[in-house]
């Protein structure tokens, strides 16, 4: 008997149910989403507008610049040796990211596509290290670098990356796992060495994953403040941009327009990098294995 | 043609840096810290040269330290307010709102939220500071409206740092939830709607059970992330006024590096680790309870 009944078509019914209220609902939901999104933009707009105000107008009730003082972006370079700080930041982020790639890509391959005893244990250790709040090891590491007489430089921040970075190893391993084993086996069958498999098969195929890992580590190091504060604060020549920026506020009279101009300059590279590589970035996040 | 197999020790060379990294920057320091927490080690003075073993002294001191109790409470409050409630719920709301919506709007909203996340924490801290401080913009606006301003960072420092952290961190939860929601079968939702379930009931009874694992994993990740937040708070309020926003990372930095009490600072770091473990245990339990 049931066979006689017409099959229910949920999809069609769903569409019908939307019917008349559909349009209003569409407008309402999109407006709410857009409004929420714009709220995230407000602090940024505030920073950018203040950056081009006169010192007198900054932090007043007048939120829109009376005259656009673009010269602020030039003045900050005269007020502080920003180029030195920029150099330090680039040294930290650039060398750390490059070093991370050289050391973490092979490790991630060994964790993803080679079989060996202790592999799971090693991976577990990497994940545990990745989750550890940095404060727990801050003191012993500081003493270690102090003993090596490297505090006051960016090297305590860079050197660990030459050995790898836990989060990057994790991310790369997750990515490498998505490359079908068959490709690896085929390359091996053709007599490719393991280094060859890695360089000629895995790396080209995992380019988006590697780009994401590089992007994350560049942004993380570029934005890092705790590390540079701990190690470089004692010597102003070694300051990164983030430490220099924070010191702006400690000065006897804060010129907020200039401080914000410097802030814009510091966040610009991060923002541009993000806009250029947005897809890679989002893909990398959803790839951190949170699914399932 | 003979099929080449990877050598028995092919895994070793690529893993050497990682093992060094684990030994030098994870296991070694943890063991060292675990030992130091039981000594009276200091950054300078006689205890720096020749630290003595003092047993549970640091932890006994921690137990009676009103500053530590305060910091634990503030850390829990900060984590609960900004991660569990703020980032998690707002991230889910954004993900649900944007699910199967207009591509353009989706892209714009997504970009705005994620942009806040790639910026340095210090930018968030500066923006909030300039806006909320005593002679900041908010007060200037209030004054022109004929209202009495106040130093918001003094009267509501926790609210300020929670807002700052929600602003910065929501993107992660949103992206994770967007990915999870795209796995939810549309047919299921349609069937529920045909059966008369409204949007809230559909979310609660259909969507949430499916993405529950993701929610718990996400909660764990953002919690561990949030209990360690330092920069935002340090730049915005420095833990003040007094100790009104001094969470554990700030207390630890203060004791270990400002006062040079390395051993006590390390003990505080372990308390921080304990708080993280406690949160994780709760999530793990919640995940198991309903299966």
């Amino acid at each position: 008997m049931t066979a006689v009944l017409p099959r229910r078509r949920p999809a069609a019914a769903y569409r019908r149910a939307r019917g008349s209220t559909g349009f209003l609902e569409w407008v309402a939901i999109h407006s709410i989403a857009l409004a929420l999104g714009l709220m995230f933009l407000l602090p940024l707009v505030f920073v950018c507008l203040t950056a081009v105000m006169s010192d007198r107008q900054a932090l007043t009730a007048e939120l829109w610049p009376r005259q656009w003082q673009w010269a602020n972006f030039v003045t900050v370079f005269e007020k502080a040796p920003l180029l030195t700080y920029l150099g330090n930041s680039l040294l930290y982020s650039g060398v750390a990211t490059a070093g991370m790639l050289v050391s973490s890509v092979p490790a991630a391959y060994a964790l993803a596509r080679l079989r060996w005893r202790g592999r799971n244990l090693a991976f577990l250790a990497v994940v545990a290290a990745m989750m550890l709040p940095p404060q727990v090891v801050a003191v012993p590491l500081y003493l270690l670098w102090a003993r090596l007489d490297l505090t006051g430089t960016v090297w305590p921040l860079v050197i660990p990356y030459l050995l790898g970075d836990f989060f990057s190893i994790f991310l790369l391993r997750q990515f490498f796992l998505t490359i079908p084993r068959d490709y690896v086996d085929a390359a091996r069958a053709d007599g490719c060495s393991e280094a060859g498999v890695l360089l000629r098969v895995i790396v080209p195929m995992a380019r988006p994953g590697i780009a994401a890992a590089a992007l994350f580590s560049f942004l993380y190091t570029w934005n890092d403040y705790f590390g540079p504060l701990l190690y470089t604060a004692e010597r102003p020549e070694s300051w990164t941009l983030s430490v220099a920026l924070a010191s702006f506020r400690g000065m006897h009279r804060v010129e907020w327009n200039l401080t914000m101009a410097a802030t814009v300059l510091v966040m610009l590279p991060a923002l541009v990098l993000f806009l250029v590589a947005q897809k890679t970035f989002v893909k990398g996040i959803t790839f951190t294995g949170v699914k399932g | 043609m003979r099929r080449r197999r990877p050598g028995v020790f092919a895994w070793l060379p690529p893993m050497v840096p990682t093992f060094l990294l684990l030994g030098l920057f994870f296991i070694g320091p943890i063991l060292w810290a675990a030992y130091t927490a039981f000594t009276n080690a200091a950054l300078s003075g006689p205890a720096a040269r020749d630290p003595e073993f003092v047993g549970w002294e640091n932890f006994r001191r921690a137990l009676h330290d009103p500053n530590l109790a305060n910091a634990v409470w503030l850390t829990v409050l900060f984590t609960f307010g900004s991660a569990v409630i703020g980032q998690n719920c707002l991230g889910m709301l954004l993900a649900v709102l944007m699910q199967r919506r207009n591509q353009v709007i989706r892209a714009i909203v997504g970009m705005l939220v994620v942009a806040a996340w790639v910026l340095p924490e210090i930018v968030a801290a500066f923006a909030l500071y300039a806006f909320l401080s005593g002679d900041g913009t908010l007060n200037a606006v209030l004054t022109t409206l004929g209202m009495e301003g106040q130093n918001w960072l003094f009267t509501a420092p926790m609210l300020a740092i929670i807002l700052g952290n929600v602003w910065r961190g929501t993107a992660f939860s949103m992206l994770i939830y967007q990915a999870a929601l795209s796995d939810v079968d549309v047919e299921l939702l349609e069937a529920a709607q045909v059966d008369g379930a409204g949007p809230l009931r559909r979310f609660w009874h259909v969507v949430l059970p499916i993405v529950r694992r993701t929610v718990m994993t996400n909660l764990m990740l953002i919690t561990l992330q949030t209990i360690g937040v330092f920069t935002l708070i340090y730049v915005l309020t420095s833990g003040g006024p007094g100790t009104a926003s001094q969470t554990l990372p700030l207390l630890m930095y203060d004791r270990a590096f400002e006062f040079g009490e390395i051993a006590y600072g390390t003990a505080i770091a372990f308390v921080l680790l304990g708080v993280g473990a406690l949160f994780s245990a709760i999530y793990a339990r919640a995940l198991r309870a309903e299966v």
Side-chain angles (χ1 to χ4, degrees), chain B residues 197-214:
Chain B
L200 277 179
R201 286 187 57 187
R202 256 177 297 157
F203 177 74
W204 196 256
H205 292 290
V206 181
V207 177
L208 209 51
I210 298 176
V211 299
R212 218 183 77 238
R213 276 188 98 65
T214 311

Side-chain angles (χ1 to χ4, degrees), chain A residues 3-225:
Chain A
V4 195
L5 286 170
R7 259 186 75 221
R8 273 175 87 194
R9 298 194 31 221
Y14 178 73
R15 246 169 263 132
R16 225 174 299 125
R18 286 175 70 174
S20 55
T21 55
F23 179 69
L24 280 180
E25 193 190 304
W26 191 94
V27 172
I29 286 181
H30 283 83
S31 313
I32 295 171
L34 206 56
L36 279 175
L38 285 173
M39 272 164 59
F40 280 80
L41 190 66
L42 280 183
L44 219 59
V45 172
F46 174 66
V47 168
C48 291
L49 288 179
T50 310
V52 290
M53 286 178 185
S54 64
D55 183 32
R56 191 191 278 251
Q57 196 196 342
L59 305 203
T60 60
E62 260 184 281
L63 296 173
W64 196 256
R66 212 172 306 148
Q67 21 162 270
W68 297 67
Q69 273 196 28
W70 295 105
N72 287 349
F73 292 108
V74 182
T75 316
V76 283
F77 281 92
E78 291 158 10
K79 293 261 169 169
L82 280 188
L83 287 178
T84 309
Y85 305 144
L86 179 70
N88 292 333
S89 275
L90 282 175
L91 177 71
Y92 176 22
S93 301
V95 178
T97 304
M100 178 282 289
L101 286 178
V102 172
S103 54
S104 300
V105 168
Y109 174 65
L111 286 170
R113 282 287 173 254
L114 292 173
R115 283 171 205 275
W116 45 284
R117 275 169 72 105
R119 184 179 71 168
N120 290 341
L121 192 67
F123 179 63
L124 208 66
V126 168
V127 173
M130 176 180 100
M131 303 257 221
L132 187 79
Q135 282 82 12
V136 178
V137 291
V139 171
L141 290 181
Y142 182 83
L143 294 178
L144 171 76
W145 295 115
R147 184 157 298 180
L148 294 172
D149 216 17
L150 281 171
T151 49
T153 70
V154 292
W155 293 110
L157 304 167
V158 172
I159 291 172
Y161 278 91
L162 304 181
L163 293 174
D165 166 57
F166 296 118
F167 175 72
S168 306
I169 295 173
F170 170 77
L171 183 69
L172 289 167
R173 179 231 182 222
Q174 298 302 95
F175 213 91
F176 291 171
L177 281 180
T178 63
I179 295 171
R181 212 174 261 281
D182 299 347
Y183 289 93
V184 176
D185 287 339
R188 281 179 189 154
D190 288 345
C192 209
S193 70
E194 285 310 304
V197 173
L198 176 60
L199 290 176
R200 287 197 210 111
V201 181
I202 300 278
V203 168
M205 293 189 77
R207 212 168 273 154
I210 294 171
L215 197 63
F216 282 130
S217 91
F218 189 90
L219 283 175
Y220 179 82
T221 49
W222 186 264
N223 295 346
D224 188 17
Y225 175 72

